[in-house]
Amino acid sequence: MTIAVVGAGLAGLSAAWELCQAGAEVVVLDAARQPGGVSADGFLAAEPDIQELARAVGIGERLVDQVGRGSALWTGRRLDPLAEGKAAELLGIQGNPSVGGGFRSFAAGMVEVVEALVACLVPRLRTTQGVTAVTRAARGWRLSFNGGSALEAEAVILAVPAWVAARLLAGLGVSAARALDTVLYAPSITVSLAYRADQVPGTLDGAGFVAASDSGAAVRACTYAWRKYPKRAPEGYALLRAFVGPVDGDPASIAHSELAAILGIEGDPLWTRAFYWTRGLPRYRRGHAEQVAAVRERLAGLAPLAIAGAGFDGAGVSACVKSGREAARRVLERLGS
Ligand SMILES: Cc1cc2nc3c(=O)[nH]c(=O)nc-3n(C[C@H](O)[C@H](O)[C@H](O)COP(=O)(O)OP(=O)(O)OC[C@H]3O[C@@H](n4cnc5c(N)ncnc54)[C@H](O)[C@@H]3O)c2cc1C
């Protein structure tokens, strides 16, 4: 009995891990060259799911607490201190009482949890396998790929962004799934910038800053990554991560020149690297939870087919882990395993 997991972001990898633990035959398919999906920075320390999974895969001791605390607001002229939780609110993590408990990550970054899951799944993971259609088969489902090949599976978990799931499910006649296409994915650019520690003023403190919407800055927020989490940069070096809005020109040089002016950095960066997320963080419209519930109700009448991930059950990485593992359990239950 094969269960296909489509999408090897954190939701899909967590689903596949859960299925493997139950002894199921799993194949994980991702359109990209690398597994892991969207790359995050950390998670709220109060969120249990990702930490439980980390302990279960044997990397619990790699969890690290946020060290640098406190954030500032860039007004366009100066950095003003922000009340605890206010920066998170400005960034859209609204009304979450757990923000006060700070953030957590892994010693070498969130990539550690992806690598640990991939190591468990290696022979079952296939990259550059974009699924173009899901159709009914005699015993479950038939998945078609870019390039014309196909695979049959008794059950499928779609751990892909909402617009991909909407297309695949609409092709199956699940008309309620068209509503999932209304989940908006904001484009985002992140730029990592490395400096020698002596290029950055020693007076800089806290975990980062958020720019006021009328500040005129292209940099919307910046994390002082080497201050926020331990050992993010070698001794004597500084690492910044800037979140940049849509810009004309090179986001890395724009980020450097704005950060130099805002933070008082001297000289050029040692290196910079820009990451483009054409569809980054999902934002749900009113009624989203009801729409997802309606899709799940319709899927319950078909052969085992589940949806999981940020497009449906919450954008944070811990919510994605929970969503993936729950989808796996639902599918196993349907299969009577
Ligand atoms: C810049 C940025 C910073 C963030 N920072 C944080 C943070 O600090 N903390 C936090 O909690 N959250 C953060 N988030 C949110 C969080 O990272 C994501 O919501 C989460 O990782 C999404 O996981 P996922 O598995 O649901 O989806 P994804 O990671 O999007 O994975 C979906 C996978 O499906 C694959 N796929 C797509 N179409 C197909 C297809 N047709 N066939 C096969 N495979 C397909 C994709 O290649 C991808 O690998 C951030 C998001 C962004 C954009």
Side-chain angles (χ1 to χ4, degrees), residues 114-303:
V114 170
E115 284 173 355
L117 290 167
V118 167
C120 299
L121 297 166
V122 141
R124 305 166 184 97
L125 181 60
R126 300 189 205 160
T127 51
T128 61
Q129 296 280 302
V131 173
T132 53
V134 181
T135 46
R136 288 164 219 254
R139 290 193 60 215
W141 303 104
R142 182 182 160 85
L143 306 177
S144 307
F145 300 104
N146 279 329
S149 56
L151 173 98
E152 290 208 359
E154 276 70 24
V156 172
I157 295 177
L158 295 178
V160 288
W163 83 90
V164 180
R167 183 169 45 79
L168 293 174
L169 293 176
L172 254 182
V174 180
S175 54
R178 288 186 203 282
L180 298 176
D181 218 5
T182 62
V183 176
L184 288 174
Y185 283 79
S188 173
I189 305 171
T190 57
V191 182
S192 296
L193 306 100
Y195 299 93
R196 287 190 323 275
D198 62 17
Q199 291 179 268
V200 182
T203 48
L204 193 72
D205 63 357
F209 72 81
V210 178
S213 53
D214 59 358
S215 69
V219 172
R220 293 183 170 164
C222 176
T223 303
Y224 310 151
W226 92 111
R227 289 270 172 85
K228 186 167 178 179
Y229 296 112
K231 298 199 174 79
R232 274 296 155 89
E235 197 60 36
Y237 294 91
L239 181 67
L240 300 174
R241 190 181 196 214
F243 295 80
V244 183
V247 283
D248 287 331
D250 174 27
S253 50
I254 292 169
H256 165 65
S257 55
E258 287 193 6
L259 292 174
I262 295 170
L263 303 175
I265 294 170
E266 287 175 4
D268 293 332
L270 300 170
W271 55 260
T272 60
R273 188 159 171 212
F275 300 85
Y276 297 81
W277 312 101
T278 41
R279 297 196 194 191
L281 264 184
R283 294 224 188 279
Y284 310 138
R285 287 186 196 262
R286 191 189 292 263
H288 171 78
E290 290 77 12
Q291 287 165 351
V292 171
V295 172
R296 287 196 166 124
E297 201 178 307
R298 172 78 174 90
L299 294 180
L302 307 176

Side-chain angles (χ1 to χ4, degrees), residues 6-7 9-11 30-31 37-38 40-42 130-131 159 190 277 280-281 309-310 315-317 320:
V6 185
L10 264 176
D30 199 288
V38 178
D41 190 32
V131 173
T190 57
W277 312 101
L281 264 184
V317 287
C320 291

